[in-house]
Amino acid sequence: MSWQHPVPRITDEERQSRLSRLRQMIEAHGLAGMLLGPTESLRYFTGLVWHPSERFIGALVTPTAVSYIVPGFERSRVETLPHLPGEILVWEEEESSAALIGRLVGQGGRLALDDGLPLFFYHALAAAMGAERLVDGGRLIRDLRRIKSAAEIALIQYAMNLTLDVHRHVHVLLKPGIKSSEVVDFIDRRHRQAGADTGSTFCIVSFGAATALPHGADGDQVLGRDDVILVDTGCRIDGYHSDITRTYMLEGGDSAFERAWWIEREAQQAVFDAARIGAACSSLDGAACKVLAKHSLGPNYRLPGLPHRAGHGLGLEIHEEPYIVRGNDTPLAAGMCFSNEPMIVFPEKFGIRLEDHIYMAAEGPRWFANPATGPTEPFS
């Protein structure tokens, strides 16, 4: 199987526009530059994808230039990888990458740091430059990344469509006696065949009482005829994530599960209905808690009821801003993308999580995938 639609892409022109906005923020805050580590933010701004290790690789963004900081023996590799134009500056094995960055920044300037940098490298920079010259750049980066462009939304939509199709095939596959490990392997194969970057980025398949554990149970499970089924999985397309959960039973007739399923669906719809431009993220979580409290669940994050926040942002990271959680007063804005998953847990019995994602259009919320239809009908 392969997904037949053209895959959206992030263009170099869009990345240049991102860099332009970042440079404007650097100047507005009186900074000498922003240091990006081997993180998703490096990919976001420059297109360069690299794995974290003890050897620093990244990019120094200043108001006028982008310079890549690279171990000498990795230069030829970096040159072959997609990235925006910029000078490649190398440091050798016996040299200090932090000292090189300090020389580039110069005397007196303040350097903003990618919030994904490891602590050991912060200490190296502090020793080379002085801790008083280092500032947290996370807020600047996150303010830019949490507003998705049309191209980013198209990539997420593509990934969601692919994963929803995988979910449909899983539903057909499931029969009493199948092992959860078999389902996990099947999902990974389908994601790979459909063109996902690396197969499944994660996969939770839970049966029966294990569904009450939000992130699954250790060990293999065997599906019983009357078990609740929870499948939560996703993939990446050009770095952007999908993430969809369905909870259902193969056959109807379990009144406790069906009653709880409809409460979950009511809470999920309440989150969607509360999602309006300018609304605080916390108000969406509050809408879910209000539904559960009406049905004598909770209150708040107490069990039986909602065990965790009602949602999380999604993009190049599976969990990123904005977080749909109590205490987060961030107002919703056009371009924000986040999950809607106010799970209900009945400890040692079962749990129900219906997870679909929303993106905020100028006119209001839009589903990436339509919600489930009923307790035995996981698709619309």
Side-chain angles (χ1 to χ4, degrees):
M1 177 187 71
S2 62
W3 198 251
Q4 298 300 317
H5 305 291
V7 181
R9 295 294 180 191
I10 303 299
T11 64
D12 282 353
E13 290 76 15
E14 178 161 337
R15 289 199 172 92
Q16 289 285 10
S17 176
R18 296 170 179 176
L19 273 176
S20 178
R21 294 196 299 275
L22 179 60
R23 287 191 176 111
Q24 290 170 8
M25 297 181 80
I26 290 170
E27 288 192 290
H29 287 79
L31 301 168
M34 170 76 74
L35 184 65
L36 303 173
T39 67
E40 295 300 338
S41 291
L42 180 67
R43 180 177 192 155
Y44 178 82
F45 289 107
T46 74
L48 180 60
V49 179
W50 198 262
H51 55 275
S53 77
E54 78 282 6
R55 292 182 177 95
F56 179 81
I57 189 168
L60 176 63
V61 180
T62 70
T64 59
V66 176
S67 301
Y68 296 95
I69 315 300
V70 176
F73 75 98
E74 297 283 21
R75 177 173 186 145
S76 58
R77 170 65 174 154
V78 170
E79 288 175 336
T80 67
L81 296 174
H83 61 276
L84 292 182
E87 186 178 7
I88 296 178
L89 304 173
V90 302
W91 58 278
E92 301 299 342
E93 288 286 78
E94 77 280 10
E95 296 177 328
S96 165
S97 56
L100 171 58
I101 293 164
R103 290 194 298 272
L104 292 170
V105 174
Q107 295 294 324
R110 294 186 304 143
L111 179 64
L113 303 182
D114 181 343
D115 59 348
L117 283 172
L119 182 60
F120 75 83
F121 196 69
Y122 169 83
H123 286 307
L125 287 168
M129 298 177 58
E132 70 281 358
R133 295 178 58 199
L134 305 176
V135 299
D136 182 2
R139 186 71 275 139
L140 303 184
I141 291 172
R142 300 295 167 177
D143 284 350
L144 292 173
R145 283 184 51 187
R146 72 186 178 191
I147 304 298
K148 304 302 189 287
S149 68
E152 291 179 285
I153 290 172
L155 270 166
I156 296 170
Q157 183 68 72
Y158 187 101
M160 292 289 187
N161 291 348
L162 191 156
T163 293
L164 186 62
D165 187 64
V166 171
H167 267 285
R168 293 182 186 277
H169 284 88
V170 171
H171 186 234
V172 174
L173 173 76
L174 288 170
K175 299 291 188 294
I178 196 169
K179 295 181 179 179
S180 59
S181 59
E182 296 177 72
V183 183
V184 170
D185 289 344
F186 174 85
I187 290 171
D188 185 65
R189 288 197 307 274
R190 299 296 295 199
H191 270 137
R192 289 179 187 276
Q193 291 165 2
D197 290 356
T198 57
S200 301
T201 49
F202 70 97
C203 188
I204 300 168
V205 176
S206 298
F207 304 143
T211 61
L213 302 173
H215 286 160
D218 292 334
D220 214 351
Q221 303 159 50
V222 177
L223 178 61
R225 181 171 299 280
D226 298 322
D227 279 347
V228 175
I229 299 162
L230 186 152
V231 180
D232 182 359
T233 189
C235 69
R236 297 182 88 176
I237 296 293
D238 199 19
Y240 286 83
H241 286 270
S242 62
D243 183 9
I244 297 175
T245 308
R246 290 290 183 267
T247 306
Y248 50 91
M249 295 183 72
L250 296 180
E251 298 180 3
D254 186 319
S255 58
F257 170 75
E258 292 182 357
R259 182 167 56 253
W261 193 97
W262 286 111
I263 296 172
E264 165 75 356
R265 180 67 193 92
E266 182 183 351
Q268 189 190 41
Q269 189 62 43
V271 171
F272 183 88
D273 293 342
R276 294 290 179 264
I277 298 295
C281 289
S282 58
S283 68
L284 279 63
D285 188 270
C289 289
K290 184 176 180 180
V291 168
L292 269 61
K294 181 179 72 173
H295 294 281
S296 301
L297 296 170
N300 306 320
Y301 303 127
R302 297 177 187 172
L303 302 183
L306 178 68
H308 54 59
R309 64 195 176 206
H312 59 81
L314 163 138
L316 285 171
E317 293 171 281
I318 188 69
H319 290 175
E320 62 179 49
E321 294 189 13
Y323 294 104
I324 309 304
V325 64
R326 168 177 292 184
N328 183 7
D329 294 330
T330 301
L332 294 181
M336 289 183 175
C337 302
F338 51 91
S339 71
N340 181 352
E341 49 175 321
M343 186 181 191
I344 300 176
V345 164
F346 298 86
E348 300 182 4
K349 295 179 180 179
F350 61 83
I352 304 171
R353 181 163 66 245
L354 302 177
E355 180 183 12
D356 296 288
H357 284 246
I358 293 169
Y359 67 90
M360 297 302 297
E363 303 78 22
R366 300 288 184 270
W367 294 108
F368 278 107
N370 290 329
T373 301
T376 60
E377 301 174 13
F379 312 105
S380 60

